[in-house]
Amino acid sequence: MPTENPNQAVRPDFTTREHQPAWQQLIENGLTDELAIRTLEFLWTLVNNADKAHWNERQEHLEELHQCEEEEEEEEQRNQILRNEEAAKLEEQKKNKNKYAPLYATRKIKSGDYCELHYFTNWGLDDANKSAQIAEPDTLVMLPSANGIHLWVPVDAVKDPKAAPVTRDEHLTWEEFNEAAARIINYMRIHDWPAEQVDMHIQFWSALQQHHWRHVSDHLKQRALLLYQLQQCRRWHLSIGTGQTWSLEEINQDLLLEVHEELFNEQRDKQTTLAIQVSTNIFRKRLNH
């Protein structure tokens, strides 16, 4: 590999005394003076062309490496800007924790308790926003407790009887599940959950999305994934502080099959009950006639 640019090389004069040994050897082998000089010029040009090709190929490779390094540096700068913006956004959200979810959900997440996904769907947040517009967040209301003593509690902690009912996790659509999961992950970070717990939930919910049941036409199998999610998350939350561990890292297919069987039996029982009711009504109508 040449160390200097062969494109700038100048063909030497092979008629000079410096190159006399080379063309003298060619003459001794039977070539004329002119043919010997032309042969040396041809050989030099042949070698120089090969050197040019290698040189140009190496320069193109170096240019590609340089371009890749510049692109990686630019990408890293963009990612750093995004990380800074995300960190600033997260810090802002930490300063205004109660602005982003119902107080009930806030307390659940903050204390590490299980919270229904409903509260983090678009519907759940809209419901919370409507409640917030009715009363100031610091407003207190008096409610009787179990022992007969009246307590003052924040209005956000009281369920509005006119508000939309809470949808159980297994009855959410997958679109609603995605809305809620992304928001809960963000909310876990806002409330300084340990990184390994946040990552475990991300891995768990991602595995549910990638499970082959997620894309089948069997509605019960899709519901089974969501009900399995509810049951496993509750078990994980209940295990905290008990000395027992309950991992969400891998989907237990045996437990998932049990959940599917539970839903199947529930559906079959409903269909059986409905069939009995319909048959009874038909029988009664016939008796009346």
Side-chain angles (χ1 to χ4, degrees):
M1 179 67 67
T3 57
E4 297 182 359
N5 189 351
N7 294 288
Q8 299 176 352
V10 178
R11 189 182 66 192
D13 183 0
F14 289 103
T15 63
T16 60
R17 183 180 292 250
E18 178 184 358
H19 299 284
Q20 183 176 355
W23 55 261
Q24 186 64 42
Q25 185 176 357
L26 292 175
I27 290 175
E28 291 175 358
N29 288 332
L31 299 181
T32 63
D33 289 354
E34 182 179 358
L35 189 57
I37 298 300
R38 289 184 177 180
T39 299
L40 291 174
E41 290 176 346
F42 172 77
L43 291 174
W44 182 91
T45 301
L46 193 66
V47 172
N48 180 252
N49 287 338
D51 288 345
K52 286 179 181 179
H54 291 149
W55 178 273
N56 293 338
E57 182 178 351
R58 181 170 181 270
Q59 295 305 309
E60 290 177 0
H61 179 65
L62 292 175
E63 180 63 27
E64 289 176 358
L65 287 178
H66 180 66
Q67 185 174 351
C68 287
E69 290 175 355
E70 288 185 342
E71 291 176 354
E72 289 177 358
E73 184 177 353
E74 292 176 358
E75 181 67 20
E76 176 58 27
Q77 291 176 353
R78 287 193 295 267
N79 290 336
Q80 186 59 47
I81 291 174
L82 291 175
R83 286 193 293 268
N84 292 340
E85 291 177 349
E86 185 64 24
K89 179 181 178 181
L90 189 60
E91 187 62 29
E92 176 64 21
Q93 290 177 340
K94 286 183 177 182
K95 294 177 182 178
N96 302 278
K97 294 178 181 178
N98 295 330
K99 291 173 58 178
Y100 297 93
L103 185 58
Y104 168 82
T106 300
R107 289 177 174 172
K108 287 283 190 178
I109 296 296
K110 187 175 182 180
S111 62
D113 294 331
Y114 177 78
C115 181
E116 294 83 352
L117 296 177
H118 164 87
Y119 292 100
F120 294 89
T121 63
N122 290 342
W123 288 108
L125 292 180
D126 287 344
D127 190 24
N129 290 334
K130 290 175 183 177
S131 298
Q133 293 172 4
I134 296 174
E136 293 296 326
D138 295 331
T139 302
L140 299 177
V141 295
M142 181 181 291
L143 291 178
S145 63
N147 57 12
I149 301 176
H150 287 72
L151 299 176
W152 290 97
V153 297
V155 68
D156 280 355
V158 181
K159 178 65 177 176
D160 182 359
K162 297 182 180 179
V166 175
T167 303
R168 287 176 55 87
D169 288 3
E170 69 269 26
H171 295 300
L172 294 174
T173 66
W174 280 100
E175 182 179 0
E176 291 168 338
F177 171 80
N178 291 335
E179 295 167 1
R183 289 186 178 119
I184 288 184
I185 291 299
N186 188 46
Y187 220 65
M188 289 175 177
R189 289 172 174 152
I190 290 175
H191 287 282
D192 299 317
W193 277 40
E196 62 272 14
Q197 293 183 2
V198 177
D199 291 340
M200 181 178 63
H201 279 81
I202 293 175
Q203 180 178 338
F204 176 56
W205 286 331
S206 298
L208 289 175
Q209 281 284 15
Q210 296 169 9
H211 195 277
H212 63 276
W213 280 13
R214 164 68 182 86
H215 304 286
V216 298
S217 57
D218 187 342
H219 179 63
L220 279 186
K221 288 184 177 180
Q222 296 210 27
R223 277 191 60 200
L225 284 173
L226 293 173
L227 180 56
Y228 172 84
Q229 179 274 151
L230 164 65
Q231 294 176 349
Q232 297 307 300
C233 283
R234 278 183 170 167
R235 288 178 180 176
W236 180 82
H237 281 279
L238 290 173
S239 70
I240 297 177
T242 63
Q244 300 176 349
T245 58
W246 190 270
S247 176
L248 298 176
E249 291 182 356
E250 294 183 3
I251 294 179
N252 188 317
Q253 192 64 28
D254 291 335
L255 292 179
L256 181 57
L257 289 172
E258 290 180 8
V259 172
H260 180 265
E261 184 177 359
E262 175 186 340
L263 289 175
F264 176 81
N265 292 336
E266 177 186 324
Q267 176 178 269
R268 183 190 58 192
D269 292 344
K270 288 181 178 179
Q271 291 174 344
T272 301
T273 301
L274 179 60
I276 292 174
Q277 290 176 349
V278 171
S279 299
T280 301
N281 291 335
I282 293 175
F283 180 73
R284 286 177 177 173
K285 287 181 179 180
R286 289 179 177 177
L287 287 179
N288 294 331
H289 286 82

